[in-house]
Each structure stands twice: as structure tokens, then as C-alpha cells.
């Protein structure tokens, strides 16, 4: 810590992670009793626009002047900040979201813990620091994300959950900025227990697509685990357990968005694959989700049943699935994510099916690899030599690809 400053404290997540014996990504410091002029005179570089935050001239770590915040409007913005030298350390810690994030470490490694964060760490409780929790609706997302990080042994304190409900009732959650919702959601998807994030937020109106899944029944012979929401959470958990990437996890989350629609329209789940496409697109539009996630979500919704029924498909249909529907020869990584999401869908159906083999994924990937090895230049040249032009050449390539699929399936059958 910097010797030229008298009251410097390590704060927030770094202290929490130190006590949890977890690696921390970055260190944040709070400086008490100083002014912007003093900080800049010591060579600290100002980077904050809304409140005084500085980069250390050597370590480049963040140092902020102690501050208080008072709500002055709706949503995430709308705060009046006081960063005067009179602000105390306890006042600065009081504005933070959770007790486990409201501790500080001084230069002598003493823990300052005015809100009993250490006890809540031991008890695995996520509890708001003060009633100021309700002043920032993003904290509802953050608390759910911490649950996704720490796991099901942790719980949100009932009094804190009551404040989350209060934010919903007061309409504050309607003021969440879409980009911020996606930022927190993307982080949660990457955590070890992403399903806990969505379970914690269930019923708060933030993800209506998921809320509509509750009590939508599924055929028991295929889905012994329960309704569509339960299934979706198990699929997402499977994707995390297998350490699949964000694209696969997003596809796992959104693959059955169409089931609530199809059940409402027809009283069954037939056609949910196609019904889900528009829901995924609207979901991504509403939350300003990047196109790469939208695309894998749409493709998985529309095509996952074809992957499940691979053994019953004709070679022409397999070709159409890989080459036309998924455009897998152009986007091989996205195709891999699709097959992984389909595996999670098949295995996310309760404890009895979680380890059930899913050979369809490996088989589809093997056919894809075979298609990538096909020498298209040779096919095109042969077509040109025989006098074919334009669309006729494309048809020759397509037929060569279908023959490639047929040859693979024939070899596989003969090897059985």
C-alpha cells in the first residue's frame, strides 16, 4: 500500500476472496481523508467521471476516495455522490452491496468488518449491508451471480430476498439497462453454477421467457425430471459441469424457449423448435445480446430434435442439417457448440439420465469432419470439364456432399 497516503485500505472482493482463500482478479483500494488535489499531486491518474477514482502511478491498481451515495432518481444512475475528506471508512463500506463485500484490510493486515461480513462468509450467507441495497437494482443481478459463483451451499438471506421482491414491486427492476442485464448474465453463465443465477431471479420479471416455462408439462417418458423450467436448469447445469464454453451454455439456456408458446397454442410441445426461433431473437434484441449468441441460440432451438433423431434421418436430411441449416462448413466452432448443447439437452433430465451416452454428437461431428475433407475443387473442376455452368456446378457439389454422407453411413453400418 502507498506510504505517502495515511489511510489506505484494501476493500471489497479482494478482502472477501482473501478470506475465502480464492484467487482475486484485481485489488481495489479506498483512500480516506484525502482530496483529488492530493491524489494528483502524488502522481495518481484520474480515471473516474462520476466519482474520484485513480490509477496508482506504478502498480496501475485502482484507488478511490472514500464516498457516500444517495439515491436521487430511478435505475442504476441517479445518485448524488459525496467524496469529501470527511467521509469515514465505515460510511464508505456501508454503501456496498453485501456484507461479505463490505470489509477492509489496513496496512497492518487488520480486518475492519463493521457489518459482520466474516460471520456471513462462514455461514455462507449473502446478506445486504444496509437498506441502501434497494437504491441500485443491479445489485439484484449481482447477488444472483454470487450464488452462481459460490454454489448451492450458499443462500440469500430472507431479509435480502424481501428487498429484491420490494424492488420488483416498486418497478425499479423495470429500469435495469439491457446492456447491464446482459453483462451480469454473461458473467453468470461463465460461473460454475449458472443455473443458480436464473433460479434466484425467477419470479422477478427479469427473464419472462424462463418464467413462462414453469408448470409447462413434458411427456414423462422423455422428461422424468419435471416441467420445462426444471429441465432447462438441468441442461444448463450439465453444460457447466462439462465445462463447455459460453456459446454452448447460452444455447443450453435458450434451446426450449419455444415450449411455452407451443403448449399455449396447441396444448402440446410439437413444433416448439420452430416456435422458439422468434422468442430467442426477441430475447436477444431486448437485452442487446451479441449476434454470435443469438445465432447459436436460434440454430439450436430450430435443429436440436434433428440431432437427437440422427439415426432415423436420411442422408439427404443429415446433409441439409449440417451444410444448409447449421452452415457448419463455414462455422465449425458454432457447429461444435450446437452438438454439445444437444448432448446437454439429452443428459439434462435428472440423475438417471445425466450420464446416458449421447453418440449422436460424436457421429454428427465425424460426418462433419468427412465433409470438410471432401475435395470440392476437384468436384468443381470435373463439373466444368463436363460443360456444366452456374447453378449446375452448385448442384454437383451438393450431390458430392450427399454421396460423402451416404458413404460414411454405409461404412458405419458395415462396421457394426
Amino acid at each position: 500500500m502507498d506510504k505517502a497516503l495515511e489511510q489506505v485500505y484494501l476493500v471489497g472482493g479482494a478482502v472477501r476472496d482473501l478470506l475465502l482463500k480464492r484467487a482475486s482478479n484485481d485489488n481495489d483500494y479506498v483512500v480516506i481523508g484525502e482530496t483529488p488535489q492530493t491524489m494528483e499531486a502524488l502522481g495518481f491518474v484520474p480515471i473516474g467521471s462520476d466519482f474520484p477514482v485513480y490509477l496508482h502511478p506504478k502498480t496501475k491498481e485502482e484507488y478511490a476516495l472514500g464516498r457516500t451515495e444517495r439515491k436521487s432518481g430511478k435505475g442504476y444512475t441517479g445518485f448524488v455522490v459525496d467524496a469529501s475528506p470527511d467521509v469515514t471508512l465505515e460510511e464508505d463500506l456501508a454503501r456496498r452491496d453485501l456484507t461479505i463485500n463490505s470489509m477492509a484490510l489496513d496496512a497492518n493486515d487488520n480486518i475492519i468488518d463493521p457489518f459482520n461480513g466474516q460471520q456471513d462468509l462462514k455461514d455462507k450467507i449473502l446478506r445486504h449491508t444496509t437498506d441502501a441495497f434497494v437504491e441500485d437494482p443491479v445489485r439484484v443481478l449481482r447477488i444472483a451471480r454470487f450464488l452462481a459463483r459460490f454454489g448451492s451451499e450458499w443462500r440469500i438471506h430472507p431479509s435480502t430476498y424481501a428487498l429484491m421482491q420490494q424492488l420488483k414491486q416498486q418497478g425499479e427492476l423495470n429500469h435495469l439497462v439491457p446492456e447491464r442485464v446482459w453483462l451480469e448474465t454473461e458473467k453468470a453463465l461463465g460461473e460454475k453454477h449458472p443455473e443458480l443465477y436464473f433460479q434466484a431471479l425467477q419470479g422477478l420479471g427479469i427473464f419472462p421467457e424462463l418464467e413462462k416455462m414453469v408448470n409447462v408439462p413434458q411427456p414423462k417418458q422423455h422428461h422424468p425430471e419435471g416441467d420445462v423450467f426444471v429441465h432447462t436448469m438441468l441442461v444448463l447445469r450439465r453444460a457447466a459441469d462439462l465445462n463447455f464454453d459460453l456459446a454452448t451454455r447460452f444455447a443450453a439456456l435458450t434451446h426450449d424457449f419455444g415450449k411455452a408458446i407451443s403448449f399455449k397454442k396447441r396444448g402440446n410441445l410439437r413444433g416448439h423448435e420452430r416456435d422458439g426461433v422468434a422468442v430467442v431473437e426477441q430475447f436477444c434484441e431486448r437485452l442487446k445480446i451479441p449476434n454470435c449468441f443469438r445465432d447459436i441460440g436460434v440454430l439450436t432451438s430450430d435443429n436440436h430434435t434433428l440431432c437427437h433423431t440422427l439415426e432415423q434421418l436420411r442422408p439427404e436430411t443429415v446433409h441439409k442439417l449440417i451444410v444448409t441449416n447449421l452452415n457448419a462448413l463455414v462455422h465449425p466452432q458454432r457447429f461444435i457448440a450446437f452438438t454439445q448443447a444437444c448432448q446437454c439437452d439429452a443428459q439434462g433430465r435428472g440423475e438417471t439420465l445425466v450420464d446416458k451416452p449421447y453418440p449422436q454428437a460424436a457421429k454428427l461431428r465425424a460426418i462433419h469432419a468427412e465433409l470438410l475433407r471432401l475435395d470440392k475443387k476437384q468436384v468443381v473442376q470435373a463439373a466444368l470439364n463436363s460443360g456444366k455452368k452456374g447453378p449446375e456446378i452448385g448442384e454437383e457439389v451438393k450431390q458430392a456432399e450427399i454421396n460423402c454422407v451416404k458413404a460414411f453411413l454405409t461404412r458405419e453400418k458395415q462396421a457394426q
Side-chain angles (χ1 to χ4, degrees), residues 112-346:
I112 296 95
D113 181 17
F115 303 102
N116 297 316
Q118 291 175 94
Q119 190 60 50
D120 282 344
L121 270 186
K122 287 176 188 169
D123 296 338
K124 295 183 167 56
I125 290 174
L126 298 168
R127 186 200 310 258
H128 63 284
T129 304
T130 70
D131 284 349
F133 180 89
V134 299
E135 294 181 350
D136 181 1
V138 172
R139 288 174 170 177
V140 170
L141 302 171
R142 277 174 53 80
I143 198 169
R145 179 161 62 80
F146 280 120
L147 206 58
R149 179 182 300 178
F150 295 145
S152 57
E153 293 179 355
W154 285 69
R155 64 188 178 91
I156 298 172
H157 193 272
S159 64
T160 305
Y161 191 74
L163 291 183
M164 293 165 68
Q165 290 286 348
Q166 181 183 320
L167 278 166
K168 179 197 174 185
Q169 289 155 11
Q170 291 173 342
E172 277 285 341
L173 299 182
N174 299 330
H175 296 277
L176 283 166
V177 177
E179 290 87 348
R180 193 63 196 271
V181 176
W182 170 243
L183 179 66
E184 295 296 329
T185 301
E186 184 179 16
K187 288 178 183 175
L189 281 170
E191 297 287 6
K192 199 172 177 184
H193 313 276
E195 76 283 358
L196 298 181
Y197 173 81
F198 298 99
Q199 288 171 349
L201 298 175
Q202 185 70 343
L204 295 177
I206 298 170
F207 300 113
E209 297 84 0
L210 292 169
E211 294 183 9
K212 288 173 184 171
M213 294 176 171
V214 176
N215 296 326
V216 173
Q218 302 181 107
K220 280 201 167 62
Q221 68 270 31
H222 300 302
H223 290 278
E225 74 280 9
D227 69 18
V228 179
F229 180 74
V230 171
H231 166 62
T232 299
M233 293 300 100
L234 289 172
V235 176
L236 184 54
R237 182 195 299 176
R238 186 63 177 152
D241 287 347
L242 293 171
N243 204 26
F244 288 150
D245 67 10
L246 279 177
T248 303
R249 295 179 189 212
F250 184 80
L253 174 72
T254 58
H255 79 285
D256 272 348
F257 269 14
K259 281 186 172 175
I261 301 283
S262 62
F263 186 74
K264 187 177 180 181
K265 285 198 298 192
R266 294 180 287 273
N268 58 55
L269 305 182
R270 285 193 293 276
H272 75 273
E273 302 89 349
R274 172 51 52 177
D275 285 335
V277 168
V279 188
V280 175
E281 288 175 340
Q282 289 158 12
F283 177 71
C284 294
E285 178 69 26
R286 178 166 59 82
L287 296 181
K288 308 289 190 286
I289 296 171
N291 291 346
C292 59
F293 291 104
R294 180 202 63 198
D295 293 345
I296 183 63
V298 164
L299 291 171
T300 304
S301 174
D302 207 15
N303 295 283
H304 62 276
T305 306
L306 286 171
C307 189
H308 296 334
T309 57
L310 183 62
E311 291 299 327
Q312 286 85 55
L313 301 183
R314 295 164 56 244
E316 291 81 2
T317 310
V318 175
H319 170 266
K320 184 170 183 263
L321 171 63
I322 296 173
V323 177
T324 307
N325 296 10
L326 299 171
N327 199 11
L329 302 184
V330 176
H331 297 284
Q333 286 305 117
R334 190 176 69 192
F335 168 74
I336 297 299
F338 165 79
T339 61
Q340 291 171 339
C342 291
Q343 176 188 341
C344 296
D345 180 26

